[in-house]
Amino acid sequence: MRSFVRIAAITLASAVLGACVHETKLLVGGDAHDLRKRAPGTAESSPSHPPILVIALDGVDRELLYDMIRAGELPAFSALLGPHAYFDRTIMSTLPSSTMAAWATTFTGVTPAHHGIAGNEFFIREDRRFAAPAPATFNDHAPVLQIYTDQYLNKLCLAPSVYDRMRADDPNVLVWVAMQQIYSGADKFLLTKPTILIDAFEAFVDETVSKVATQSESRSAYEKLDKQVVDVVVGALDDKLVPDVLTVYLSGTDLYAHVAKEGPDAARRAYLRDIVDGSIGTLTGKLRARGALANRWVVVTSDHGHTEVMHDGDHAMTTNIDHGPPAVLVKTGFRVRPFKLDVSKTDDFQSVIAFEGAMAFVYLADRSTCDHEKVACDWTKPPRYEEDVLAVAEAYSKNNEDGALVPALRGKLDMVLTRRPRAWAEDDLPFEVYVGHGAAMPIDTYLASHPHPTYAELATRLHDLAVGPHGERAGDVLLIAHNGDRATPAERYYFAEPYHSWHGSPSHKDSDIPLIVSHPPTSEPDIQAFVEHALGEHPRQQRITDLLLDIRHRH
């Protein structure tokens, strides 16, 4: 999860507490904010349909969470779920297995190629605009704040949310969302206080940049963040109405995993046990006191897992123009877009890179529209296949073998993927594996002769990412680092500044997510049958929306 990382704490503090009140109108107030007014005389809620509680945990894989619950390490979770909960073992995240793409998929019910949130950052060709709800290639607080102040991610998302869809069926449904980035269609949006957010940002900067904060100080900031989220929800539950649908999002597990020196598994176990479980207990107690759990469906899920990596400049492939992935583009003759949110309309860049942890998207212009410097490219045109796309694919592929262009990148890529480009308004073709000398082959064909046992359904999940009306947002060349295919941290690489853990790969460790469903009056076998029907033959993250809609349709 990247919505709270790589943010400069000083600039964030000044933005939150400074003069730009119109940009931070939600954040400055903290607490609960009404997003929707009901017409006089209309029903205040919809109690005739089953109520739902969604617990959205960031950065928690299935094996970790299930093991802890089964071992009795999370007693509050167990109390909330009851004795008849169903633990699904089939559902997988989208690709890349990263926060923004994953949660947009979870809460819209469609794939990234359809909702348009291709990753934590991505390029929108037709607008010539870089979107970065969770910046990874640069530091800028603005888009992060705008998620909470101006519905930044909601506006980038090109599909209705699950709450919009619920409301289309049931106009009276009462929906509250706490801190989750997708909240279009909700009645109430619940936020932490700005000082709590700033403390979390400062702790991250101290831990990863200035090295001032201790591990306990760092974790304490994330603890305050998550506890404050629950406190705000508990306070709002003093209102006379309890929401029909309540989503509570806790991000600290992921935030701490990225920076924890003890590694992501030990860090997340301790954080879940010491911090999250107590917060769940507080929330459960309040709901129970309000009589709001006896018939409420509980759905617990996450967005992705975590993979331990080395915290050094050799394993982190950064935006360094001389030694990082951009250097390959420069030495192949492409001008690279500057690494910041906004650039001039006349900037003459011919290529764009977006980082997604274990993956990176590379976008290319038709260089014939901007062959000379100081001539802006026409990004509404697709790149030429041979002159632009294959030139870049060959450069990355060959450099991975011999390091002739950029020695520091030799041997760090697992795959270079590409495809024939189409106009941005058309449905896009699937990616294929580039095998050198202008040739590519279908992913399944390649995997048949180059097995990747740790990868989970790579071809179909890349299809979800890249084939559809907005599939071009995944780029023209896609790079997959040696990461989820490697057994030890010393063998893994990633696209980011140095961290202790990352995700985004097609591996089971990054991709196998939890889905726990409980309902006090319903037996586990009946819940299982219901969930399996909702998830269908291909249990993907987008089917969680189908599950939530099916719950609301029950009588």
Side-chain angles (χ1 to χ4, degrees):
M1 184 274 191
R2 304 283 295 157
S3 63
F4 296 121
V5 296
R6 290 182 52 77
I7 309 301
I10 295 175
T11 57
L12 175 62
S14 63
V16 173
L17 302 177
C20 299
V21 176
H22 65 285
E23 293 185 356
T24 58
K25 54 184 178 293
L26 290 180
L27 198 59
V28 167
D31 299 326
H33 300 270
D34 292 325
L35 301 178
R36 177 175 176 268
K37 291 185 178 180
R38 294 174 184 254
T42 60
E44 294 181 300
S45 64
S46 180
S48 61
H49 295 273
I52 305 172
L53 168 64
V54 180
I55 302 295
L57 304 172
D58 208 293
V60 180
D61 60 87
R62 179 162 67 229
E63 181 179 2
L64 175 68
L65 184 62
Y66 289 8
D67 283 353
M68 293 187 72
I69 292 175
R70 297 294 195 196
E73 295 182 63
L74 302 177
F77 266 103
S78 297
L80 171 63
L81 295 169
H84 306 303
Y86 171 61
F87 291 69
D88 172 78
R89 293 187 175 275
T90 63
I91 197 164
M92 282 185 290
S93 74
T94 190
L95 277 181
S97 48
S98 57
T99 295
M100 297 303 169
W103 287 125
T105 300
T106 296
F107 290 115
T108 63
V110 298
T111 65
H114 288 79
H115 60 60
I117 309 298
N120 284 346
E121 55 180 28
F122 52 93
F123 187 59
I124 303 174
R125 298 185 69 98
E126 64 271 27
D127 296 338
R128 203 173 176 272
R129 177 165 64 111
F130 198 79
T137 53
F138 57 89
N139 292 317
D140 191 343
H141 67 271
V144 179
L145 290 178
Q146 288 171 6
I147 290 174
Y148 304 106
T149 63
D150 195 32
Q151 303 206 39
Y152 181 49
L153 192 65
N154 288 330
K155 291 177 180 178
L156 287 171
C157 190
L158 301 174
S161 76
V162 63
Y163 314 118
D164 292 317
R165 294 173 64 178
M166 286 178 180
R167 198 170 304 288
D169 291 337
D170 179 12
N172 297 322
V173 62
L174 180 63
V175 178
W176 293 3
V177 176
M179 285 302 293
Q180 225 299 310
Q181 299 94 338
I182 296 289
Y183 52 93
S184 171
D187 294 88
K188 194 182 293 288
F189 188 41
L190 299 101
L191 291 161
T192 63
K193 295 178 181 178
T195 53
I196 302 296
L197 285 167
I198 292 168
D199 286 346
F201 297 155
E202 287 178 335
F204 177 82
V205 172
D206 285 345
E207 180 65 33
T208 60
V209 180
S210 65
K211 314 300 184 200
V212 172
T214 65
Q215 288 284 279
S216 61
E217 288 171 338
S218 174
R219 198 179 85 161
S220 175
Y222 309 137
E223 175 183 359
K224 290 178 183 177
L225 182 64
D226 282 344
K227 286 186 174 181
Q228 177 70 20
V229 172
V230 173
D231 287 346
V232 170
V233 174
V234 167
L237 286 170
D238 285 330
D239 292 349
K240 66 174 183 176
L241 287 175
V242 175
D244 302 310
V245 178
L246 171 61
T247 296
V248 179
Y249 172 64
L250 302 176
S251 59
T253 316
D254 175 80
L255 293 171
Y256 187 53
H258 275 290
V259 302
K261 296 180 178 66
E262 65 264 40
D265 290 349
R268 290 179 299 160
R269 279 186 177 275
Y271 193 93
L272 284 166
R273 182 184 62 246
D274 300 342
I275 298 169
V276 174
D277 195 59
S279 295
I280 294 299
T282 300
L283 176 63
T284 299
K286 185 65 174 185
L287 287 168
R288 205 177 300 281
R290 291 297 314 271
L293 279 182
N295 191 43
R296 186 172 294 266
W297 287 77
V298 176
V299 178
V300 179
T301 191
S302 182
D303 51 348
H304 56 73
H306 260 275
T307 297
E308 185 174 359
V309 294
M310 301 295 289
H311 185 278
D312 60 43
D314 180 53
H315 293 80
M317 293 183 282
T318 72
T319 57
N320 186 290
I321 203 70
D322 296 316
H323 307 295
V328 174
L329 292 168
V330 172
K331 294 187 178 184
T332 310
F334 284 79
R335 301 189 294 272
V336 181
R337 186 187 187 277
F339 294 104
K340 54 185 180 178
L341 184 63
D342 296 314
V343 300
S344 167
K345 292 181 180 179
T346 60
D347 196 296
D348 62 352
F349 61 90
Q350 301 167 316
S351 60
V352 183
I353 299 182
F355 282 178
E356 313 297 339
M359 297 169 60
F361 303 155
V362 181
Y363 308 81
L364 304 169
D366 177 347
R367 286 184 292 175
S368 69
T369 69
C370 49
D371 196 33
H372 298 290
E373 291 187 9
K374 298 184 179 180
V375 175
C377 300
D378 182 358
W379 280 91
T380 62
K381 288 188 175 182
R384 299 163 298 174
Y385 184 54
E386 293 185 0
E387 297 91 336
D388 302 313
V389 176
L390 290 186
V392 168
E394 176 69 15
Y396 277 110
S397 179
K398 192 171 187 303
N399 187 80
N400 197 52
E401 294 176 0
D402 59 24
L405 291 177
V406 186
L409 296 179
R410 182 180 181 184
K412 295 184 178 181
L413 299 180
D414 177 27
M415 295 182 192
V416 176
L417 306 176
T418 191
R419 56 185 171 179
R420 287 187 177 273
R422 287 184 170 178
W424 64 266
E426 299 178 12
D427 282 8
D428 303 279
L429 294 170
F431 278 110
E432 295 185 323
V433 181
Y434 185 77
V435 294
H437 307 291
M441 66 173 61
I443 293 170
D444 281 340
T445 303
Y446 178 83
L447 292 177
S449 56
H450 302 78
H452 281 59
T454 61
Y455 281 5
E457 299 189 29
L458 178 59
T460 52
R461 293 165 68 212
L462 281 176
H463 189 280
D464 287 348
L465 168 68
V467 180
H470 309 296
E472 77 285 343
R473 295 188 178 185
D476 303 296
V477 174
L478 192 154
L479 309 176
I480 301 180
H482 279 303
N483 183 292
D485 62 320
R486 295 294 179 86
T488 65
E491 301 173 285
R492 298 172 184 150
Y493 302 94
Y494 54 101
F495 301 96
E497 295 295 322
Y499 287 92
H500 292 282
S501 183
W502 245 108
H503 46 84
S505 84
S507 71
H508 280 284
K509 188 164 182 59
D510 282 353
S511 307
D512 291 350
I513 57 172
L515 178 62
I516 309 172
V517 182
S518 71
H519 184 235
T522 307
S523 69
E524 181 181 348
D526 287 346
I527 295 174
Q528 178 177 353
F530 176 69
V531 172
E532 288 177 346
H533 180 268
L535 298 184
E537 295 181 1
H538 304 286
R540 297 281 190 282
Q541 211 158 22
Q542 58 264 30
R543 300 307 296 267
I544 293 175
T545 280
D546 297 300
L547 172 64
L548 298 176
L549 293 175
D550 285 356
I551 291 173
R552 288 293 293 171
H553 290 154
R554 287 174 69 96
H555 294 285

